[in-house]
Amino acid sequence: MSLDKDTVRKIAFLARIRVPEDALEPLAGELSNILGWVEQLSEVDTDGVEPMTSVADLSWPRRQDVVNDGGDAHAVLANATEPEAAPGGEAKGGFFTVPKVVE
Amino acid sequence: MSYLIEGESGDWDVVIGLEVHAQITSQAKLFSGSATAFGAGPNTQVSLVDAAMPGMLPVINEYCVEQAVKTGLGLKAQINRHSVFERKNYFYADLPQGYQISQFAEPIVGEGIVVLDMPDGTTREIGIERLHMEQDAGKSMHDQDPKRSFIDLNRSGVALMEIVSKPDLRSPEEAGMYVRKLRSILRYLGTCDGNMEEGSMRADVNVSVRPAGSGELRTRTETKNVNSVRFIMQVIEHESARQVQAYESDEEIVQETRLFDAARGETRSMRSKEFAHDYRYFPDPDLLPVVLSEDEVEAIRASLPELPDDIKQRFIDTMGLTAYDAGVLVADKETANYFEQVAKGHDAKIAANWVTGNLFGALNKAGRSIADSPVTADALSELLDLMADDTISGRIAKDVFEEMFETGRGAKQIVEDKGLEQITDTGAIEAAVDAVVTDNPDQVADFRGGNEKAIGWFVGQVMKATEGKANPKLVNELLRKKLAK
Amino acid sequence: MSELNKKTIAEAARGLEDGDFTSEELTRACLDAMEAARDINAFITETPDIALARAGESDARRAAGNATGPLDGIPIAVKDLFCTEGVLTTAGSHILDGFTPPYESTVTQNLRDAGAVMLGKTNLDEFAMGSANITSYYGPVKNPWTADSGDKQGKDLVPGGSSGGSAAAVAALIAPGALGTDTGGSIRQPASFTGIVGMKPTYGRCSRWGIVAFASSLDQAGPLTRTVEDAALLLGGMAGHDAKDSTSAPMDLPDFTAGLKDGIRGLKVGIPKEYTMDGMPAEIEALWAQGRDWLTGQGAQCVEVSLPHTQYALPTYYIVAPAEASSNLARYDGVRYGLRVPGDSLDDMYEATRGEGFGEEVRRRVLIGTYVLSAGYYDAYYIKAQKLRTLIARDFQNAFADVDVLLTPTAPSAAFVIGEKMDDPVAMYLNDIFTVPASLAGLPAISVPAGLDGDGLPLGLHLIAKPFDEATLFRAAFALEDAAGFDAKPGVGPGGGS
């Protein structure tokens, strides 16, 4: 599989990573190279083989329906960029903030 | 119930499918131990897991899984004893992980059925395609600041069931009935409180149109996050009309996500979210498949309450109610319980009339729900007792009921205080009858001349004279006797 | 007292217990060594205050007769992929700028509870993606070893990766032990490059809670130490079931040192024939043969086994790991922690932040991962790879029906010069060719230093065992270590000699 520049631009947007225009072409080459190499898997017949989901051969662990976490907005917001206190002050919680979203 | 849109080129049918997101009733979130209560301060019900801090891992809340299975059983659906949580990858401000943990290829519940009770007493089956569990996103607020949106993650990670209908719905009314019925079932089951105002239930509405009678399925649009039955119906009305107009103007309908503008009552395209959707689902490697034993499923089945369809059938079969009345009475759990309590020891049809007539009327007028009705089931029961043993007449009962509704006082007490007991003393009634007959010779002549219907007028006069307390049966008998002379 | 930093964990534990020295003295010796060897750039964050405080607490516990066990008072270095409460945690990435977790990873908490002393947070490849520790935002780590002949002489060498800082810290005698994580070889390959022991336990043995995720189905924490016994001791302090990690195995924690020295008479060792690769250096081939002889000499029986899908392990890994990483790294969006580069719109901010915050290798892998999961390619790449993974795991199951452990080389070469293999990602990926298969199957594996190449650089041998059979793995590794008698030590810095 050979990726072109446009495809790389599209994937980069899906991944929300800005790639400078002049880096697209070389990146397309690198990614194509890697994809070309992994494509050797196609030579293996895998008909009827179950895809693995986890090597952990366990039954699913269960959490009880009990409230035992949360309640500390300060800890949750401590590392945020430009958090905003709740209307009633920090003790009432606070918000994360992002550039204004227009829906 | 046919719903046709008249276009210039002819009539059009509308095809509707609903994806209802119902919040699972639970104390804690689907994958963390933080609370789900409504109305808390921003980000105060957020764990490090919900905020997607580095290295945080989800652990499944087993009660939420049981609730989903219970719902599946209530929808008479297939339960998939092996289901898988996957990641739905996309970026959005209120989605801290950059993916939503959901179920995709292997949902916990497969095909099922919702039965609609049509106004003519018939029923109609709407297919359920699937039910899967997923976590809710947080909430963005766009109107607090000129340059920024604010994010509250309290809802992030709250357990939801997405219940996907087949495209079986054919009119706004049907869609409304479907949502009400689904909500009723969830509330009977106790798996979702159905509170649309608090966001416990909301729907994505898929609409397409096609020339009437054709079997084709045309391109559909999806209007997201519609949060009331009325709005769902408006979305369908607006969107189907818009599509018909587009087709008739030779425009294309594109498959897209739309937004409902409640203020304008119309839908509009959400182009900002449209670009390059590719969710890249894959099984969440932080979680193991949910595997349930047959015993576990059967234990949940054994815990199911009696559901509205079954109760309705019982009301018809054993109480002799009409399908329509039975349908109305089971529409929500509180009403059904209320009715059953009132019907105990009384004529079921009379009880049904009182509940669906007087009670509903009064509640409607007062804007109250049956849960906070001033007249409890026991109180209404007492009133029916007084009628049954002829202490009061039906007419008086209506007045007593009104007073009960207004004051919250008991029926017996009101009747006693106001001396509303029925007059069954023949002498007293006879005196009133005599007076009426004597005072109205013209009407007597009219009756005797063959106008049998005039008896009603005489009864009215006697009742008026006795302030409605005379036993109507005795009044009738005595009048006929006197007038025959 | 200045030599205390050279002690192994077992030696130091004995010394502490016998009262020969205090944890504070031991810790100070390590902190001095850390300062002296700063030029190798093994640490992103040094935590001397925390170290001395915990050493003091340990000494107080011991004085009161309440020492918790063999790790009480032992200094260790912690890969900067483990979240540590109140201490900057970077994952080697610009995008986690300033991130100070309000929580402690389960593994580091377990070690705190066991009384271990954290010296600092070690350098690593960005988000653990790399095999040379050259992708860190905080600069490359230098291998304490230098070549004493050949083309590499006089040049700075890589320590391997991604746990390069941890490996270098242990090899440079800064810490007797360090924590690493291993996704495709990130503990074992740097251990081989730096002449120390590096061990990856069975997937599920150590909790992943609080470790910055790279590829969730593969990531495992493990110890880097100078001896096999130390690895067993350190793992004992790290491992254990954790209800907060759904993939953590609900199993009792054994004493990994029990039976360590019982010998391997009668042990069946499989030699996978597919690990003989075209173009494998003769020295590696010879060391592998030597390893067979050593184990045979200790009473084991070596037999050839077949793992037919071995050659597909690396490409399988380079689909699965980037796919998971592309999703795991989506949370670094500039909103709740770390770097934010301002933008006019939400997407603009995301793209700017992630464009600037991620280095080239991370970007490459996130894009590959995004691509292989995208509509139309999912089945051909991701599902195909997960099917191969099933076949690879099945190969091991079949082999382990006949043998107890497998012996392979750890890496296809010794440490290389910093700056090499930078232009060709696939050539860099080949470093993990012998370590990745066990990762895909979730098996425990260990690299034991076994010899030096012609340039005087260390080479490791690699043992793989059955799931949760770490006891047999350590026993075989101990026998191999004993037979190899590897005791070379590095100088520090170019021209330092060995």
Side-chain angles (χ1 to χ4, degrees):
Chain A
M1 171 59 69
S2 177
L3 296 190
D4 58 21
K5 220 170 126 173
D6 285 342
T7 310
V8 175
R9 192 184 289 117
K10 217 181 90 196
I11 303 169
F13 180 70
L14 259 186
R16 297 298 189 277
I17 298 178
R18 176 151 304 147
V19 178
E21 192 62 26
D22 61 352
L24 287 171
E25 198 71 59
L27 195 53
E30 284 170 22
L31 300 184
S32 298
N33 192 22
I34 296 167
L35 288 169
W37 170 68
V38 300
E39 269 164 23
Q40 59 180 291
L41 298 190
S42 62
E43 68 196 47
V44 185
D45 179 6
T46 52
D47 283 355
V49 178
E50 273 296 301
M52 180 179 281
T53 43
S54 178
V55 292
D57 187 18
L58 309 168
S59 61
W60 58 291
R62 305 166 181 219
R63 171 193 290 282
Q64 303 293 305
D65 186 33
V66 174
V67 176
N68 55 16
D69 206 346
D72 188 355
H74 182 73
V76 164
L77 292 159
N79 282 281
T81 303
E82 290 182 36
E84 184 76 24
E90 249 176 68
K92 306 245 180 210
F95 298 95
F96 297 101
T97 64
V98 298
K100 197 171 185 74
V101 177
V102 183
E103 275 189 337
Chain B
M1 190 155 63
S2 88
Y3 178 82
L4 289 174
I5 300 165
E6 287 175 29
E8 285 168 15
S9 61
D11 290 345
W12 297 75
D13 284 335
V14 56
V15 179
I16 306 147
L18 293 179
E19 295 165 20
V20 172
H21 300 259
Q23 179 178 339
I24 294 176
T25 302
S26 66
Q27 298 298 311
K29 293 182 181 178
L30 182 51
F31 298 114
S32 83
S34 44
T36 60
F38 180 78
N43 289 302
T44 58
Q45 294 183 163
V46 179
S47 73
L48 300 168
V49 176
D50 310 322
M53 302 299 269
M56 293 299 96
L57 298 170
V59 181
I60 300 169
N61 181 334
E62 107 182 290
Y63 180 71
C64 295
V65 173
E66 289 166 8
Q67 293 282 70
V69 170
K70 200 170 182 180
T71 306
L73 293 170
L75 299 174
K76 299 182 174 58
Q78 174 204 334
I79 304 301
N80 297 325
R81 285 177 30 219
H82 182 279
S83 68
V84 174
F85 280 107
E86 305 203 27
R87 293 183 182 178
K88 178 182 184 179
N89 294 282
Y90 65 97
F91 284 88
Y92 198 59
D94 56 20
L95 189 70
Q97 294 161 131
Y99 55 84
Q100 176 193 32
I101 306 177
S102 181
Q103 295 188 308
F104 184 59
E106 298 185 64
I108 191 156
V109 176
E111 293 190 340
I113 280 171
V114 168
V115 179
L116 303 188
D117 305 291
M118 308 306 281
D120 62 2
T122 61
T123 58
R124 186 159 138 58
E125 286 186 355
I126 304 301
I128 296 293
E129 182 70 37
R130 56 186 273 155
L131 175 157
H132 67 255
M133 289 180 276
E134 63 186 22
Q135 52 176 185
D136 204 352
K139 207 171 127 192
S140 308
M141 274 146 281
H142 308 304
D143 50 3
Q144 316 271 317
D145 187 281
K147 289 193 165 164
R148 299 178 298 168
S149 292
F150 289 3
I151 312 296
D152 173 8
L153 298 180
N154 278 352
R155 284 197 69 86
S156 167
V158 164
L160 301 178
M161 300 179 274
E162 178 170 331
I163 303 163
V164 182
S165 84
K166 299 196 172 193
D168 288 350
L169 298 161
R170 292 289 176 272
S171 70
E173 290 72 27
E174 263 185 25
M177 291 172 68
Y178 167 80
V179 174
R180 286 197 197 95
K181 184 61 183 278
L182 186 61
R183 180 170 59 184
S184 156
I185 293 170
L186 299 180
R187 289 164 55 103
Y188 269 93
L189 290 165
T191 57
C192 171
D193 67 20
N195 191 331
M196 296 185 99
E197 294 74 45
E198 292 180 0
S200 300
M201 244 178 114
R202 52 191 196 263
D204 298 342
V205 185
N206 292 296
V207 176
S208 68
V209 297
R210 63 185 176 202
S214 83
E216 64 179 316
L217 277 181
R218 294 199 175 190
T219 305
R220 63 185 164 83
T221 61
E222 180 178 18
T223 305
K224 290 268 190 198
N225 272 330
V226 188
N227 64 357
S228 83
V229 173
R230 191 162 62 86
F231 290 163
I232 289 169
M233 294 169 67
Q234 278 182 24
V235 163
I236 296 165
E237 282 160 18
H238 175 267
E239 187 54 21
S240 55
R242 185 189 73 84
Q243 291 185 14
V244 166
Q245 201 176 25
Y247 282 126
E248 295 195 330
S249 319
D250 279 332
E251 287 165 25
E252 281 294 296
I253 292 296
V254 287
Q255 183 155 355
E256 63 175 353
T257 304
R258 297 179 71 85
L259 194 72
F260 180 62
D261 184 334
R264 293 161 176 247
E266 59 185 41
T267 67
R268 62 185 155 85
S269 183
M270 278 177 85
R271 295 196 199 284
S272 59
K273 269 200 173 181
E274 212 37 49
F275 185 60
H277 255 189
D278 188 339
Y279 291 132
R280 290 160 286 137
Y281 280 99
F282 75 106
D284 190 331
D286 287 333
L287 293 166
L288 297 162
V290 175
V291 180
L292 299 166
S293 69
E294 208 166 333
D295 287 351
E296 284 178 289
V297 175
E298 287 315 308
I300 297 168
R301 192 191 302 277
S303 76
L304 286 184
E306 194 184 17
L307 289 171
D309 292 342
D310 304 323
I311 301 175
K312 179 185 168 192
Q313 202 53 52
R314 183 162 57 79
F315 285 178
I316 295 169
D317 293 347
T318 66
M319 297 186 172
L321 298 191
T322 64
Y324 179 80
D325 277 352
V328 170
L329 288 168
V330 302
D332 69 78
K333 196 179 169 179
E334 286 78 13
T335 307
N337 286 346
Y338 188 105
F339 166 72
E340 287 221 64
Q341 214 172 322
V342 175
K344 207 176 289 170
H346 298 111
D347 183 302
K349 286 183 205 168
I350 292 174
N353 284 338
W354 271 89
V355 172
T356 60
N358 306 54
L359 178 68
F360 279 11
L363 287 172
N364 253 341
K365 218 165 119 190
R368 304 176 81 146
S369 75
I370 197 155
D372 63 348
S373 166
V375 179
T376 65
D378 283 342
L380 184 56
S381 208
E382 186 182 296
L383 181 65
L384 297 199
D385 285 341
L386 294 178
M387 276 194 289
D389 66 9
D390 279 341
T391 307
I392 56 173
S393 69
R395 227 207 93 201
I396 291 290
K398 287 189 173 98
D399 298 339
V400 174
F401 177 80
E402 268 173 35
E403 180 142 3
M404 290 166 70
F405 198 91
E406 266 167 41
T407 64
R409 293 168 69 216
K412 251 183 202 154
Q413 206 186 342
I414 294 170
V415 169
E416 271 170 27
D417 288 359
K418 298 203 155 182
L420 298 174
E421 290 90 348
Q422 228 170 186
I423 303 166
T424 47
D425 169 10
T426 317
I429 296 174
E430 202 165 0
V433 167
D434 285 343
V436 171
V437 169
T438 311
D439 293 352
N440 298 287
D442 293 352
Q443 280 78 357
V444 172
D446 185 29
F447 178 84
R448 289 190 176 142
N451 185 5
E452 287 276 324
K453 284 182 190 163
I455 187 87
W457 182 85
F458 285 103
V459 173
Q461 292 304 305
V462 177
M463 293 308 277
K464 201 172 166 185
T466 58
E467 295 174 305
K469 291 186 286 187
N471 182 315
K473 213 171 124 202
L474 285 176
V475 173
N476 232 303
E477 278 170 20
L478 287 168
L479 268 171
R480 286 188 182 280
K481 218 160 82 188
K482 299 275 178 198
L483 289 169
K485 280 175 188 166
Chain C
M1 283 297 172
S2 63
E3 302 280 278
L4 287 178
N5 56 303
K6 295 185 178 173
K7 297 207 174 289
T8 65
I9 293 174
E11 288 165 359
R14 258 193 309 277
L16 289 169
E17 197 179 331
D18 295 347
D20 298 344
F21 45 84
T22 64
S23 173
E24 191 187 327
E25 287 166 329
L26 177 65
T27 301
R28 280 193 194 280
C30 292
L31 292 173
D32 289 347
M34 178 160 77
E35 206 178 318
R38 264 189 197 144
D39 74 304
I40 64 171
N41 199 26
F43 287 82
I44 291 173
T45 305
E46 296 178 355
T47 57
D49 294 345
I50 290 176
L52 289 171
R54 291 191 192 156
E57 289 165 19
S58 169
D59 288 332
R61 263 195 308 274
R62 194 174 294 281
N66 296 327
T68 56
L71 295 175
D72 201 342
I74 302 293
I76 52 156
V78 176
K79 188 181 186 178
D80 203 14
L81 202 63
F82 292 82
C83 290
T84 42
E85 190 177 359
V87 177
L88 180 72
T89 298
T90 70
S93 181
H94 186 27
I95 208 158
L96 271 169
D97 264 11
F99 173 58
T100 308
Y103 52 98
E104 184 84 25
S105 82
T106 298
V107 166
T108 49
Q109 184 64 51
N110 287 347
L111 283 168
R112 275 177 75 169
D113 295 344
V117 169
M118 178 170 75
L119 294 169
K121 306 289 294 287
T122 60
N123 207 338
L124 70 159
D125 279 301
E126 185 181 2
F127 282 105
M129 296 179 193
S131 307
N133 214 127
I134 50 175
T135 70
S136 170
Y137 178 70
Y138 297 89
V141 176
K142 283 189 221 169
N143 194 325
W145 290 80
T146 50
D148 56 19
S149 64
D151 296 343
K152 300 177 191 170
Q153 197 175 9
K155 294 177 181 164
D156 288 333
L157 304 180
V158 303
S162 65
S163 309
S166 285
V170 174
L173 305 174
I174 295 170
L179 307 189
T181 62
D182 190 313
T183 305
S186 278
I187 288 174
R188 295 161 287 161
Q189 183 257 14
S192 178
F193 277 21
T194 57
I196 62 168
V197 174
M199 192 268 182
K200 178 194 96 73
T202 312
Y203 184 81
R205 184 62 100 174
C206 288
S207 169
R208 294 185 296 111
W209 193 89
I211 301 174
V212 174
F214 161 16
S216 312
S217 73
L218 296 156
D219 296 343
Q220 259 299 291
L224 295 109
T225 55
R226 292 198 283 271
T227 68
V228 171
E229 184 182 13
D230 282 4
L233 280 169
L234 190 49
L235 180 62
M238 301 167 66
H241 176 243
D242 181 8
K244 292 187 286 190
D245 174 1
S246 296
T247 61
S248 164
M251 302 181 86
D252 290 340
L253 186 59
D255 176 358
F256 294 115
T257 59
L260 185 70
K261 301 171 184 176
D262 287 356
I264 55 168
R265 192 152 299 282
L267 191 81
K268 283 185 87 174
V269 179
I271 311 296
K273 62 179 182 187
E274 290 83 3
Y275 280 57
T276 306
M277 302 263 169
D278 289 343
M280 191 199 275
E283 284 171 319
I284 304 279
E285 187 97 53
L287 183 70
W288 191 14
Q290 177 71 70
R292 262 168 273 180
D293 292 346
W294 280 329
L295 292 175
T296 309
Q298 299 258 334
Q301 186 196 346
C302 291
V303 295
E304 189 180 85
V305 296
S306 175
L307 302 168
H309 297 93
T310 298
Q311 69 170 112
Y312 301 109
L314 211 48
T316 296
Y317 175 86
Y318 275 96
I319 292 171
V320 173
E324 293 182 11
S326 72
S327 178
N328 282 335
L329 269 58
R331 65 188 55 198
Y332 305 102
D333 59 6
V335 177
R336 296 167 314 287
Y337 39 76
L339 179 73
R340 174 186 295 192
V341 178
D344 296 336
S345 67
L346 183 64
D347 279 338
D348 193 35
M349 186 275 282
Y350 284 155
E351 288 185 278
T353 300
R354 293 165 60 81
E356 195 172 313
F358 291 142
E360 279 184 26
E361 181 60 22
V362 170
R363 179 175 78 183
R364 209 157 23 227
R365 295 204 199 185
V366 169
L367 294 183
I368 286 282
T370 303
Y371 184 74
V372 300
L373 289 175
S374 65
Y377 301 99
Y378 178 73
D379 288 346
Y381 289 104
Y382 184 78
I383 292 293
K384 184 77 182 181
Q386 291 291 29
K387 287 182 170 184
L388 257 299
R389 202 171 166 190
T390 299
L391 293 175
I392 289 160
R394 203 177 285 165
D395 283 353
F396 279 108
Q397 262 170 32
N398 293 338
F400 281 124
D402 299 322
V403 301
D404 301 303
V405 293
L406 299 168
L407 177 72
T408 81
T410 306
S413 75
F416 45 89
V417 173
I418 293 179
E420 273 181 11
K421 307 192 190 192
M422 295 275 289
D423 304 334
D424 184 356
V426 173
M428 184 64 88
Y429 297 168
L430 290 172
N431 268 293
D432 295 329
I433 193 154
F434 300 128
T435 48
V436 150
S439 298
L440 289 172
L443 302 171
I446 191 167
S447 177
V448 177
L452 299 174
D453 73 355
D455 296 336
L457 295 174
L459 295 170
L461 283 172
H462 185 225
L463 290 160
I464 306 167
K466 297 172 194 173
F468 299 104
D469 193 10
E470 280 87 358
T472 303
L473 184 72
F474 281 127
R475 190 156 53 88
F478 186 83
L480 183 63
E481 176 185 54
D482 185 41
F486 183 90
D487 58 3
K489 292 280 177 282
V492 174
S498 54

